[in-house]
Amino acid sequence: METVKKIVIKALITLEKKLIIPCKIQYFAIDSAIVEEVIYDKNTHGFTSCVLFCHYNKHGLILEQVKELCLFFQSQRIDVIFVTTKVSSEARLWLEKNLSALIIRKNFGRDFGAWKDSISFLKKRALFSNCSQLYLINDSILLLENNLRNGHFQAEFVDDNNSDMIGLTESWQKAYHLQSYCLKFNQKVTQSECFSNYWDNYYLINSRRFSIENGEIGLTQMVLKNGYKLKSLYPLSDILKTENLERFLSIVEDLPLPEFSETRERLFDELFLLDFNDINPSHRLWPLIVLAGCPVLKRDLIEKNPDGLLSMKYFMYFMEKFIDNDQTKELLQSSLLHIKYQSL
């Protein structure tokens, strides 16, 4: 086993160096990076449905939108297990008052390492076999609360007990997969040998490439290969519906720009001149994803705009048109301010 570990790590280092990816790879251990764990008994609901919520904030703070999302699940008797690397004293008090459990761990293995440790936490306490619905969610999102409560997310995600694996969005980049920022599994999958083996053999490696290929893509492919049913809540076929395209085109036409500005044409090109095998839909198609009713957007659109999208220059203009709920707008503004603060 030690030989296998060394081969895996060496291969990753070699691959990332060749691709000139500025990512320092660190390896911890195959078993656990947990340093503290606690169950808040007065808040628990029996762990028959669990959210493993992966959080990171270098200041140990919990964003208001993260609290809103956790409370959304906790209020439905779904136990939220909050997994993080650091919490402030104020954040700890909030967790103790509102959620079911807290895990503090070393920052190894990225999101999938945190989920691996959380599943081990449940198994160690003989709680995992109780869990009929398992959610894997991280905080790499901006919450759109009006979409969260529009009924579709509740009916087709939270209340769907038949689909074996559900994700919000799907991608064909590198290989077909459900994007991993928000996933759900039923008991048929979670209690299977293949699911258990997958997590038992997942290495805690701090490599984004490893997390994508062996985590996000690897998990979907494992579920598919074992014959389970997958569902994307907002598949490309829904995102690209005529009504969403028409509304987007109408908003672009109304942009305060000169009549024959090339900006409009470039905004159209961003959506229509693309290869679905070579894009991240949660980035490139973000305006249509919001229009389709998705309750979250990827936060790195704001932090990094990794694809250099022109549409992000008009982000707040679009959001003003997309959102008609004042509370959602306030929460979004608060989130944007927090992102700026965290980058300091």
Side-chain angles (χ1 to χ4, degrees), residues 63 65 135 144 167 173 180 204 221 241-242 249 327 331:
L63 188 57
Q65 64 153 11
Y135 300 78
L144 306 177
Q173 196 174 30
S180 61
L204 303 189
Q221 288 294 314
K241 278 184 176 178
T242 302
L249 294 176
Q327 183 177 352
L331 196 61

Side-chain angles (χ1 to χ4, degrees), residues 157-190:
F157 189 75
V158 179
D159 295 340
D160 181 352
N161 300 323
N162 296 318
S163 298
D164 299 323
M165 178 181 182
I166 312 175
L168 297 191
T169 51
E170 59 189 352
S171 173
W172 276 263
Q173 196 174 30
K174 297 187 178 180
Y176 179 79
H177 59 281
L178 297 177
Q179 296 189 281
S180 61
Y181 56 91
C182 188
L183 297 171
K184 180 184 177 183
F185 303 86
N186 67 13
Q187 195 168 27
K188 192 195 308 184
V189 176
T190 61

Side-chain angles (χ1 to χ4, degrees), residues 116 119 123 128 189-202 222:
K116 171 189 170 77
I119 290 170
K123 287 183 175 180
F128 192 66
V189 176
T190 61
Q191 301 304 315
S192 68
E193 183 179 359
C194 62
F195 192 79
S196 181
N197 288 340
Y198 172 84
W199 292 106
D200 287 345
N201 292 291
Y202 189 86
M222 180 276 292

